[in-house]
Amino acid sequence: MEPTKSELEILQVLWQHGPSTVRFVNNILNEETRPVQYSSTLKLMQIMVDKGILDRDESVMKHIYSPVEEEGKTKNQLLEKFVDSMYHGSASSLVMQLFGNKKTSKEDLDEIKAFLKKLEE
């Protein structure tokens, strides 16, 4: 199941901070992302449980939510879908577009070169 933009914001909080309560997630969203009502965050996290995106631990009074999938797996799935739909599956087209639209620092280029060298080995 592909998460919506709002669901991804919640997942980012949970991946960064670990299993959390709705109140904690809502506070982080309000501090770092945008103003969000507690009731909206609660409803969305309940929907995410129903969709199988989040798990809910109900063994304590304040329910604790955690992502079902690891961050890397979710991001890989979203990236593959994006590359397939926007670049006809061509990762090189994506990279060329990215480098053509943004000034890449020397540090970034060095890191990319090291990564490519490691892939060739």
Side-chain angles (χ1 to χ4, degrees), residues 8-107:
L8 280 172
E9 290 173 347
I10 290 170
L11 285 170
Q12 291 287 5
V13 172
L14 294 172
W15 287 327
Q16 182 178 5
H17 297 280
S20 304
T21 63
V22 174
R23 173 71 57 206
F24 179 82
V25 170
N26 191 72
N27 289 343
I28 296 295
L29 291 174
N30 279 295
E31 291 170 12
E32 298 179 1
T33 307
R34 60 185 165 83
V36 183
Q37 295 293 321
Y38 174 85
S39 58
S40 298
T41 303
L42 172 62
K43 184 63 178 170
L44 188 53
M45 290 176 74
Q46 290 170 337
I47 291 169
M48 292 171 74
V49 168
D50 293 341
K51 290 169 74 173
I53 297 172
L54 295 181
D55 278 330
R56 178 177 50 223
D57 179 359
E58 300 175 0
S59 65
V60 292
M61 189 166 197
K62 293 183 179 181
H63 297 171
I64 305 294
Y65 291 80
S66 57
V68 170
E69 297 286 346
E70 294 178 0
E71 180 178 9
K73 183 174 182 181
T74 300
K75 287 181 176 181
N76 282 339
Q77 290 170 342
L78 291 172
L79 182 59
E80 282 180 27
K81 182 175 180 179
F82 177 75
V83 172
D84 285 345
S85 64
M86 296 299 295
Y87 295 94
H88 303 289
S90 172
S92 63
S93 293
L94 168 67
V95 171
M96 298 303 282
Q97 178 83 35
L98 180 63
F99 288 151
N101 288 341
K102 183 179 177 191
K103 184 168 172 38
T104 307
S105 70
K106 181 175 177 359
E107 292 81 18

